[in-house]
Amino acid sequence: MQDDIVESQHFQTGPSLVYDQLHAKTFPVRFPGPLAGAPVDRPRERSAYESYQRHIDAANANPYAPFVSRLDWEVARWAKMRGPGSTALSELLEIESLVSLLGLSYKNPRELNKIIDDDLSSPRPRFMHREVVVAGEAFEVFYRDILACIRALYGDPEFAGLLVFTPEKHYSNADHTVRVYFDVHTGKWWWETQKEIERRLPGATIVPIIISSDKTQLTVFGSKTAYPVYMTIGNLPKDIRRKPSRRGQILLAYLPSSRLDHIPNKAARRRTLANLYHACMGHVLAPLRSAGLDGLDLTSGDGITRRSHPIFAMHIGDYPEQLLVTCCKNGMCPKCSIARNDVGEDTNPNRALRDLAEVLDALDELDAGPVAFSRACRSVGIKPIPQPFWKDLPYADIFTSITPDILHQLYQGVVKHLLSWLKSAYGAEELDARSRRLPPNHQVRLFLRGVTSLHKVTGKEHGDICRTLLGLIIGLPLVGGLSPLRLVRAVRALLDFLYLAQYPAHTSATLSLMEDALRRFHGNKTIFVQLGIREHFRLPKLHSLDHYINSIKLFGTTDNYDTQYTERLHIDYAKDAYRATNHKDEFPQMTTWLERREKVMRHDAYVKWRLRQTSSARWTSIRLTKWPSVRALSFEAAAERYGARYLRDALARFVVQYRDPTLSSVEIEQASLDVDFRFRKFPVFHKLKFLLTDAQDLGVMEDFQDVAHARPQRIDKHGRLVPGRFDTVLLNDGTGGLTGPQGYHIAQLRVVFKLPPATCAELFPDVLAPGYLAYVERFTPFTTPDPSHGLYKVARQRDAGGARLATVIEVRHIRRSCHLFPVMGPVVSREWTSSNVLDNCDSFWLNCFSDLHMYMILS
């Protein structure tokens, strides 16, 4: 359905969009000196698309070549991109005369594969196969030349104009007193590494190498696994790197995924697995040693060449992967040398990291014999791995390179523990009863069967639970007469840290808030010990939160290196690839399938370049459907079906105030008695769509959609009754700012409508008629947040007779939807349901955790 546009806003499109956004609202300071990131003195080279065009179509006539027509190409693209198998294409092409009628240049999948293999090319290198011998046994590793992968990403024409070549310090003010961190180039690591290289070899362009590795299951049943390794470069903005559709990541290798079950001793098996991992990774990353020191010429997508130094910067992985990479033992921190018994017991964000020089000295003891080597490694807290892959990589510090992992450390770690603690503290029955009685909202998932009985909960589900978790425990008493104050404060502190950790841009102030949230949790966590739920807090994932602030300062915000983005790659690069094989000797087939798919994706981008296809997006702050949900609704039906009992009176007051905003409330009330409506019916809309813009006003946060509903109950096509839904929204009275509650009010949306054109001409003869209108029921203004959990309390606003206070407003004054927690007391009323709680409850808490945007503007 088409959308009618309200308050149109135009946004820039094209290749410079992301980079321009990075500099939209901050004050950057470039790295001093003209040489860093400067091009070499060399004529501009032909772009990759221009070279590709000469390769496949010397005549420059057919943009789809080597395919004969657009239809020929689009069928081929569909065949390779629709799914992992080729059965559908085979059956399609077997239809009699179809090939000739469509004018296809291939008669079966084998001929199509031959065209792709012989006539299409890809800048991404082919996979190589090598056997690695560890403990006398040979293992297969499939990998690509990492330098060729870097050239492919760096020189991709799709990224021309997006690459960042020099580090920068960004500030939120012109005085350069408040530092801002977002992308990798705004962090301290790139700046300090650039200084080191410039002292030795001026004129360098650093290419930060970001590696992620994680073993994944290939089959739903059975034990077939793959061990993919992905690579990207920090020169690409994070908005490109974290979207699989932008192809900013490359599958670098498939490592051996053997469990070594033939080795009976568990310690020997673990040691062999670690040696195998490091042997394989060492071989894959070996070219970075000389390239990082001496540099190599890389040409970007615009044809400009720079002397570039690929430096291993970050490794992304979960906790077991971090231990494997750093050679640390289970239960220890892979970044600092804190004692095992002290892990998670307190907080100190300034704790020093492991000393790399000491570790390297211990690794050099290998020639002194196995006993001396083991003793040296034990003294620095690592396993005796003879040759870790990072040992000889220039400018690399593996303990610095280990990055935070929101998915596994917070959602699947601390939050998972917290839910089990709350279940023990309050019991499952009341928690589930409360979760079933929360009102709906576009940003909130309702768990109508409760939250305590869920099994195999994903990270996304834990995130959905966190949006309403605080509302489930407010007002709940603890057993034994203990005060729940510290427990509520501990939960609020962890939620604060969780949401702050996901900010797309951080300032010195927000990093201080993260540190404060961590201190508040550790200051209140003893309540779980008093309740007998915990004996200690020696949880490595809880301790890992101490390192978030320093990592953000070094490498930018956590969305640069969160594992939830790289784990999404498993679907394309491992699971789909496996399903395309015959499940026998699968890795050669998987690599072939991926190479062909990459060629098709590359050719698709080239065809768009040839056709000069450019996108022109138009977004709006508020959208409504072009056609109304109800074409003609009477005042009587609005009162009966939508609950808009005072719509006629409220609309009369709106008309008077709109025509003369200087009138007092008494004058408006008196003048509204003389307003006569000659129309009986009007069009009504059941949905408002909002585009929520950057709440930080730094030009970094991406826009995302929000929706508010106002629709009555109905009967669906199966004859079932669907309850009505009237969402609550956040209103701006004209004085509301970017953040903070001042100038905002809560209201429940009842009817969204538009006056007929003839009525507008009659009622507003001397002023511009209003656009879309909304009948809303207001809540009381914000006061001060509750001291224990920090939420704002609101209630239904009523007149002297006890009736709900309702007004008509312009839709443009609605900023977004909002979610309310009903004030439930010690035991929630069992008569309440999710669909009637807004009508039956009178007091509410404003949920600032419904989404990150709401948290930013009202927390």
Side-chain angles (χ1 to χ4, degrees):
M1 186 177 289
Q2 294 183 352
D3 291 330
D4 198 14
I5 295 174
V6 180
E7 295 186 6
S8 174
Q9 297 178 350
H10 294 272
F11 289 82
Q12 178 186 0
T13 59
S16 61
L17 170 62
V18 177
Y19 193 74
D20 287 348
Q21 283 183 337
L22 300 185
H23 298 80
K25 301 292 181 66
T26 60
F27 298 86
V29 175
R30 289 178 57 85
F31 188 83
L35 297 179
V40 299
D41 187 13
R42 179 184 299 178
R44 176 188 175 277
E45 295 187 10
R46 184 182 291 113
S47 74
Y49 281 164
E50 292 168 341
S51 301
Y52 186 66
Q53 182 177 357
R54 292 170 61 90
H55 167 70
I56 64 172
D57 184 19
N60 297 328
N62 177 16
Y64 307 102
F67 299 95
V68 297
S69 67
R70 175 181 175 181
L71 185 60
D72 190 29
W73 155 241
E74 290 188 349
V75 171
R77 181 183 59 185
W78 166 82
K80 289 302 177 184
M81 302 303 296
R82 61 165 296 277
S86 58
T87 304
L89 178 64
S90 298
E91 295 177 352
L92 178 69
L93 298 182
E94 287 174 359
I95 298 176
E96 186 177 355
S97 303
L98 180 72
V99 172
S100 59
L101 289 174
L102 297 181
L104 303 183
S105 58
Y106 41 87
K107 299 182 181 65
N108 49 58
R110 181 177 52 80
E111 292 185 6
L112 175 58
N113 289 337
K114 189 174 190 314
I115 293 175
I116 295 174
D117 294 339
D118 297 344
D119 298 331
L120 297 186
S121 66
S122 172
R124 302 191 173 192
R126 301 198 64 179
F127 282 88
M128 297 178 285
H129 168 252
R130 178 185 173 91
E131 288 190 348
V132 175
V133 179
V134 174
E137 186 174 352
F139 300 89
E140 290 185 324
V141 55
F142 293 83
Y143 69 100
R144 285 165 154 167
D145 181 355
I146 188 171
L147 297 184
C149 291
I150 295 171
R151 290 186 187 276
L153 282 176
Y154 192 93
D156 194 325
E158 295 295 306
F159 304 145
L162 297 175
L163 296 178
V164 180
F165 303 108
T166 55
E168 296 174 343
K169 294 180 180 179
H170 283 246
Y171 299 89
S172 64
N173 56 356
D175 298 331
H176 296 172
T177 56
V178 180
R179 184 82 179 264
V180 180
Y181 305 92
F182 46 95
D183 254 288
V184 179
H185 73 286
T186 66
K188 296 181 178 180
W189 176 87
W190 196 334
W191 189 281
E192 295 302 320
T193 307
Q194 188 80 45
K195 285 168 60 176
E196 286 189 51
I197 297 180
E198 290 298 305
R199 282 195 293 265
R200 176 178 169 271
L201 206 60
T205 297
I206 290 180
V207 181
I209 305 302
I210 304 173
I211 299 292
S212 57
S213 59
D214 182 35
K215 187 179 293 187
T216 184
Q217 193 82 11
L218 294 178
T219 54
V220 177
F221 303 102
S223 58
K224 186 71 71 172
T225 59
Y227 206 152
V229 179
Y230 307 110
M231 188 215 77
T232 186
I233 57 177
N235 309 82
L236 286 172
K238 61 184 181 182
D239 295 329
I240 303 293
R241 283 184 273 115
R242 66 189 184 189
K243 294 178 181 177
S245 62
R246 299 301 301 270
R247 301 176 64 235
Q249 301 265 1
I250 285 184
L251 176 64
L252 181 61
Y254 284 127
L255 302 183
S257 58
S258 171
R259 296 182 179 181
L260 304 182
D261 292 330
H262 64 283
I263 301 179
N265 185 276
K266 291 184 178 180
R269 188 189 310 152
R270 288 195 297 267
R271 185 167 56 251
T272 304
L273 284 171
N275 287 328
L276 174 61
Y277 175 87
H278 283 276
C280 294
M281 288 295 292
H283 180 77
V284 172
L285 301 183
L288 295 181
R289 298 169 188 168
S290 59
L293 283 174
D294 304 326
L296 70 161
D297 288 345
L298 294 181
T299 303
S300 53
D302 53 8
I304 298 176
T305 303
R306 293 173 173 83
R307 194 191 80 237
S308 303
H309 294 251
I311 307 295
F312 176 74
M314 287 175 265
H315 184 278
I316 302 172
D318 57 14
Y319 179 66
E321 201 74 13
Q322 292 174 354
L323 295 179
L324 178 62
V325 168
T326 56
C327 308
C328 293
K329 297 180 180 179
N330 190 37
M332 302 296 292
C333 175
K335 291 182 69 68
C336 69
S337 55
I338 185 173
R340 180 176 297 187
N341 289 336
D342 295 333
V343 167
E345 292 297 331
D346 63 356
T347 177
N348 179 12
N350 298 316
R351 188 176 281 110
L353 301 184
R354 294 179 183 269
D355 191 325
L356 179 65
E358 290 183 358
V359 172
L360 293 179
D361 289 341
L363 293 174
D364 288 338
E365 293 293 316
L366 180 63
D367 295 335
V371 176
F373 179 63
S374 297
R375 187 184 302 115
C377 291
R378 193 181 310 114
S379 67
V380 294
I382 65 170
K383 296 178 181 179
I385 305 299
Q387 193 68 29
F389 74 84
W390 38 264
K391 181 175 181 289
D392 298 319
L393 294 180
Y395 307 105
D397 184 341
I398 191 60
F399 306 113
T400 300
S401 299
I402 297 297
T403 55
D405 175 14
I406 286 180
L407 175 61
H408 296 98
Q409 292 171 349
L410 280 170
Y411 284 128
Q412 298 290 66
V414 176
V415 170
K416 183 178 180 180
H417 285 296
L418 180 63
L419 288 174
S420 68
W421 301 343
L422 294 179
K423 181 179 177 180
S424 300
Y426 292 117
E429 181 180 355
E430 188 62 24
L431 287 175
D432 289 340
R434 289 171 172 242
S435 69
R436 289 192 290 267
R437 288 161 176 83
L438 297 177
N441 180 268
H442 180 71
Q443 306 293 345
V444 172
R445 175 181 175 182
L446 298 180
F447 292 89
L448 298 180
R449 296 185 178 179
V451 297
T452 63
S453 59
L454 298 174
H455 298 287
K456 296 183 178 180
V457 185
T458 64
K460 184 180 185 305
E461 288 173 327
H462 276 135
D464 292 334
I465 293 172
C466 287
R467 297 173 188 260
T468 58
L469 184 60
L470 190 59
L472 300 183
I473 65 172
I474 293 176
L476 266 180
L478 288 174
V479 296
L482 286 174
S483 170
L485 180 62
R486 282 182 297 156
L487 189 148
V488 172
R489 286 178 174 173
V491 173
R492 171 69 200 231
L494 274 184
L495 291 176
D496 281 335
F497 186 91
L498 170 66
Y499 277 66
L500 287 165
Q502 297 177 81
Y503 272 26
H506 268 290
T507 66
S508 311
T510 57
L511 292 177
S512 297
L513 291 176
M514 287 183 65
E515 187 173 349
D516 175 69
L518 211 49
R519 286 202 186 98
R520 284 188 283 120
F521 171 76
H522 283 280
N524 292 281
K525 68 184 181 184
T526 53
I527 184 63
F528 297 108
V529 177
Q530 286 184 263
L531 291 169
I533 297 172
R534 294 292 305 179
E535 295 181 358
H536 61 79
F537 291 89
R538 292 194 290 272
L539 305 172
K541 292 182 179 180
L542 177 60
H543 164 76
S544 68
L545 308 188
D546 277 357
H547 298 297
Y548 274 53
I549 295 173
N550 187 51
S551 292
I552 290 171
K553 291 180 179 179
L554 287 172
F555 300 114
T557 48
T558 57
D559 50 359
N560 282 284
Y561 36 75
D562 190 3
T563 55
Q564 61 185 323
Y565 301 123
T566 55
E567 286 206 353
R568 167 61 181 80
L569 300 175
H570 290 337
I571 298 175
D572 297 328
Y573 292 114
K575 300 178 188 298
D576 282 351
Y578 177 74
R579 285 195 285 268
T581 71
N582 61 8
H583 303 170
K584 298 175 182 178
D585 193 21
E586 61 273 2
F587 286 106
Q589 300 174 63
M590 291 167 65
T591 55
T592 301
W593 182 85
L594 285 168
E595 289 169 358
R596 288 171 178 163
R597 189 179 176 92
E598 287 177 344
K599 287 183 177 182
V600 170
M601 295 173 71
R602 159 65 178 273
H603 192 69
D604 186 43
Y606 161 76
V607 168
K608 292 177 180 178
W609 173 78
R610 281 291 304 271
L611 298 176
R612 300 295 193 270
Q613 294 181 352
T614 57
S615 61
S616 57
R618 168 185 261 233
W619 294 93
T620 62
S621 56
I622 302 176
R623 289 195 211 171
L624 289 89
T625 55
K626 183 176 182 180
W627 307 112
S629 306
V630 178
R631 292 184 178 275
L633 184 76
S634 65
F635 285 100
E636 294 76 17
E640 181 181 353
R641 299 181 56 208
Y642 293 79
R645 298 180 179 86
Y646 312 108
L647 175 57
R648 191 185 296 270
D649 296 337
L651 182 57
R653 289 191 293 269
F654 170 80
V655 170
V656 172
Q657 186 177 24
Y658 188 87
R659 290 190 297 206
D660 188 356
T662 63
L663 296 178
S664 66
S665 57
V666 175
E667 292 172 327
I668 292 173
E669 193 70 31
Q670 186 65 35
S672 66
L673 300 176
D674 299 327
V675 176
D676 181 32
F677 298 127
R678 299 184 182 181
F679 67 97
R680 295 181 53 84
K681 296 184 177 181
F682 45 87
V684 169
F685 303 82
H686 287 172
K687 183 187 295 185
L688 289 176
K689 292 183 180 180
F690 307 92
L691 187 74
L692 306 181
T693 54
D694 185 2
Q696 293 182 292
D697 199 30
L698 293 173
V700 178
M701 185 176 182
E702 288 186 321
D703 301 329
F704 67 102
Q705 280 197 350
D706 185 34
V707 177
H709 299 264
R711 54 170 175 77
Q713 69 177 18
R714 59 186 175 87
I715 303 296
D716 66 11
K717 62 181 181 180
H718 301 291
R720 295 173 299 194
L721 179 66
V722 179
R725 175 172 170 178
F726 300 95
D727 289 348
T728 48
V729 293
L730 193 64
L731 304 183
N732 189 340
D733 64 8
T735 63
L738 182 69
T739 59
Q742 294 77 19
Y744 287 98
H745 298 270
I746 303 297
Q748 186 177 15
L749 199 61
R750 282 291 179 180
V751 182
V752 178
F753 63 100
K754 191 174 185 180
L755 295 177
T759 301
C760 288
E762 178 185 346
L763 295 176
F764 309 102
D766 302 322
V767 294
L768 181 66
Y772 295 93
L773 304 176
Y775 174 88
V776 298
E777 296 175 347
R778 288 183 173 270
F779 288 73
T780 53
F782 294 117
T783 53
T784 56
D786 186 89
S788 61
H789 50 71
L791 300 186
Y792 292 95
K793 190 175 185 179
V794 295
R796 290 283 185 181
Q797 200 167 2
R798 301 180 183 275
D799 60 17
R804 294 178 182 177
L805 185 61
T807 58
V808 170
I809 62 168
E810 293 183 81
V811 165
R812 64 186 181 90
H813 292 308
I814 303 176
R815 181 165 183 185
R816 55 158 298 155
S817 74
C818 63
H819 186 246
L820 301 179
F821 293 136
V823 177
M824 303 181 192
V827 179
V828 65
S829 172
R830 291 328 194 238
E831 295 180 358
W832 293 353
T833 66
S834 178
S835 57
N836 68 23
V837 67
L838 285 176
D839 291 324
N840 294 338
C841 182
D842 203 61
S843 299
F844 302 86
W845 300 106
L846 175 61
N847 180 11
C848 64
F849 294 103
S850 62
D851 56 80
L852 190 59
H853 184 274
M854 178 62 83
Y855 182 83
M856 288 178 173
I857 65 176
L858 283 183
S859 176

